[in-house]
Amino acid sequence: RIEGEGLEGTIPSLIGSITSLQRIHLGSNEFTGQFPMSVASLPNLIELDVSRNKLEGSLPFLSSKQLEKINIGHNRFDGSLSRAINVIQSRSVHTLNIQYNLVRGTLPSKLGGLTALTMLDLSNNIFEGTIPTEIGELTALQELFLSNNRITGTIPISLTHDKLSDLKEIFFHGNLLTGTVPAALADLPQLSILFIDDNKLTGTMPLEICDLNLNEAFFHDNNEDVDSTYAELYPSDSSQPDNGQRRNSSSQRTTQRTNDPTEERDGCTSIACPAGYRSIREDKDGVFPCQECEHNFLNPYLGANKCFDIENSKVLLALYNATNGPSWTDDPEKTWSNSKVPPCQKKGVTCNSNNEIISLELKDMGLEGSLPEDLGFLRFMEILDVSQNKLT
């Protein structure tokens, strides 16, 4: 165990010759380079902790049948999680932590085969795709961290399965999830923390979930980072109310929800500010305190930290800025760069008699980058043609 000693250089591959080695703890140093294959192949390895270094390259392929704990968070690993999971032969892995790396791709369904997992932390990477329903097979799971990725789709109903009786913490914030929040999450008997803000979720927060008074410890110690692990966020178990104290009967609902999300925190705004509001927290979370969107601003999502300016000129400006407007071609009169030109007179824009934009035809005009979501607030638009550009 050599942790926090400021050691530099690469991890010696000769460590892989110590075949009886069971535990490697090299966290919080300055190690660089790739993780040696010889070390990853140690046959009796039980615990690996090389977190908080500067390691890079593909995720290590750990093949020990004795493996129980993997913590490689806070490095620069990339590559495929699917390939790394395929190599794992142990069914005793209870901790898998790869937070704060550069891992891409989709979340593999084979995660559901690691049935001993109590903590799964894949947060702060570049994962895409949907949450696999097989995660609902992780019957021992207590902590699930998927926050700050690019995950899409809905919250799978398998996460409300009665098999997940030990699940206490769910961190889904900072993704691209859509749909509504399943009310059945309230049936998880141990659930005490749920963060789903900063997604594209719509609808309202189910009252059954609001009545659980989740995330209380977060607000009692709000100097901590929402992305932190349980130990970092809650220094002692005494801050967690027990199950009997946490749940409330329907007759007590008025104490868990208020009518004005700007005035007083309740069981709903502790999870997410409602649609039509935005959070005004400095750390850009989407939870209480909340502020109603101003006139001509709109927010259709739960747990947002911004409202969108839906005035036509502001939506077009957002499009121009997001797609490298100054490099656009085929606009000889510079109608897009001139703020004095009304929206309906800009190149490629067609409006109806009420000056509402109904068509944007910007084919082969040199747009680059990604279309901003602001475009979705042009409620009357019938035609959008941005073909033959360099959009991603």
Side-chain angles (χ1 to χ4, degrees):
R1 183 186 292 266
I2 309 176
E3 297 178 314
E5 297 293 335
L7 299 179
E8 300 178 348
T10 59
I11 296 176
S13 59
L14 284 175
I15 292 178
S17 63
I18 311 175
T19 56
S20 61
L21 195 60
Q22 295 183 330
R23 292 174 174 82
I24 298 176
H25 292 264
L26 299 174
S28 301
N29 283 292
E30 300 291 329
F31 287 115
T32 57
Q34 298 188 358
F35 190 83
M37 292 180 60
S38 61
V39 180
S41 300
L42 284 169
N44 295 298
L45 192 62
I46 296 175
E47 295 183 3
L48 174 66
D49 187 344
V50 292
S51 60
R52 299 181 186 276
N53 281 283
K54 298 177 181 178
L55 299 170
E56 57 188 10
S58 298
L59 292 171
F61 293 171
L62 304 168
S63 56
S64 169
K65 295 181 180 180
Q66 317 301 322
L67 203 58
E68 296 181 1
K69 181 179 180 179
I70 305 169
N71 186 356
I72 56 176
H74 292 269
N75 279 288
R76 299 169 184 172
F77 288 117
D78 55 26
S80 166
L81 178 61
S82 296
R83 294 181 62 193
I85 293 296
N86 286 341
V87 175
I88 295 178
Q89 301 182 50
S90 172
R91 289 297 174 263
S92 301
V93 177
H94 59 74
T95 299
L96 177 57
N97 185 346
I98 66 169
Q99 63 171 324
Y100 286 96
N101 277 286
L102 302 170
V103 185
R104 297 176 178 270
T106 58
L107 301 178
S109 59
K110 287 192 175 182
L111 282 169
L114 301 178
T115 53
L117 277 178
T118 60
M119 195 276 275
L120 175 61
D121 193 341
L122 309 180
S123 63
N124 295 279
N125 281 280
I126 319 174
F127 286 112
E128 299 177 330
T130 60
I131 301 173
T133 59
E134 288 81 359
I135 287 184
E137 300 300 317
L138 300 177
T139 56
L141 196 62
Q142 298 179 21
E143 303 164 76
L144 177 58
F145 300 83
L146 301 180
S147 52
N148 296 320
N149 283 285
R150 299 174 183 174
I151 300 172
T152 56
T154 60
I155 298 174
I157 199 66
S158 63
L159 286 179
T160 66
H161 202 287
D162 56 6
K163 292 181 180 179
L164 299 176
S165 58
D166 294 329
L167 188 56
K168 300 177 182 179
E169 305 178 16
I170 299 176
F171 290 77
F172 284 169
H173 57 280
N175 282 289
L176 300 169
L177 295 171
T178 54
T180 59
V181 179
L185 287 173
D187 294 332
L188 296 172
Q190 300 298 325
L191 190 64
S192 59
I193 298 178
L194 174 65
F195 284 106
I196 50 83
D197 52 295
D198 194 16
N199 278 284
K200 306 301 177 187
L201 296 166
T202 53
T204 59
M205 186 60 58
L207 302 183
E208 296 89 339
I209 297 179
C210 296
D211 289 342
L212 300 182
N213 277 348
L214 304 178
N215 304 342
E216 281 299 302
F218 169 79
F219 288 96
H220 293 160
D221 190 12
N222 58 14
N223 291 323
E224 299 290 349
D225 188 350
V226 178
D227 294 323
S228 299
T229 61
Y230 182 87
E232 293 171 333
L233 190 57
Y234 308 111
S236 68
D237 289 338
S238 61
S239 65
Q240 290 291 334
D242 64 36
N243 194 42
Q245 293 173 319
R246 183 174 61 84
R247 295 186 175 272
N248 298 275
S249 68
S250 58
S251 64
Q252 295 175 295
R253 281 183 175 173
T254 54
T255 66
Q256 315 313 323
R257 288 178 268 113
T258 63
N259 293 323
D260 189 347
T262 66
E263 294 294 331
E264 183 178 356
R265 180 174 62 86
D266 61 16
C268 296
T269 56
S270 295
I271 302 171
C273 291
Y277 292 76
R278 67 176 180 90
S279 173
I280 55 175
R281 291 181 64 88
E282 293 182 358
D283 45 16
K284 296 185 179 180
D285 301 318
V287 297
F288 184 87
C290 309
Q291 184 178 77
E292 189 171 7
C293 294
E294 299 174 351
H295 178 66
N296 271 339
F297 283 74
L298 175 69
N299 165 45
Y301 306 122
L302 286 174
N305 53 52
K306 64 175 288 188
C307 296
F308 296 88
D309 193 336
I310 58 175
E311 185 178 342
N312 285 346
S313 61
K314 298 298 176 61
V315 174
L316 296 185
L317 179 62
L319 171 63
Y320 184 78
N321 290 335
T323 56
N324 197 15
S327 69
W328 285 13
T329 58
D330 197 22
D331 185 17
E333 297 182 7
K334 304 297 181 182
T335 60
W336 281 83
S337 59
N338 188 347
S339 60
K340 294 182 180 179
V341 176
C344 296
Q345 296 179 21
K346 293 185 183 296
K347 171 76 174 182
V349 178
T350 304
C351 296
N352 61 18
S353 58
N354 294 320
N355 289 324
E356 297 288 355
I357 296 174
I358 59 173
S359 175
L360 276 178
E361 299 182 73
L362 308 176
K363 179 180 179 180
D364 195 20
M365 283 185 58
L367 279 68
E368 301 176 353
S370 300
L371 296 178
E373 60 185 313
D374 306 60
L375 280 181
F377 300 117
L378 295 177
R379 295 172 294 171
F380 298 91
M381 188 163 64
E382 301 172 359
I383 299 174
L384 174 63
D385 186 353
V386 290
S387 59
Q388 299 182 31
N389 285 292
K390 300 178 180 178
L391 297 170
T392 56

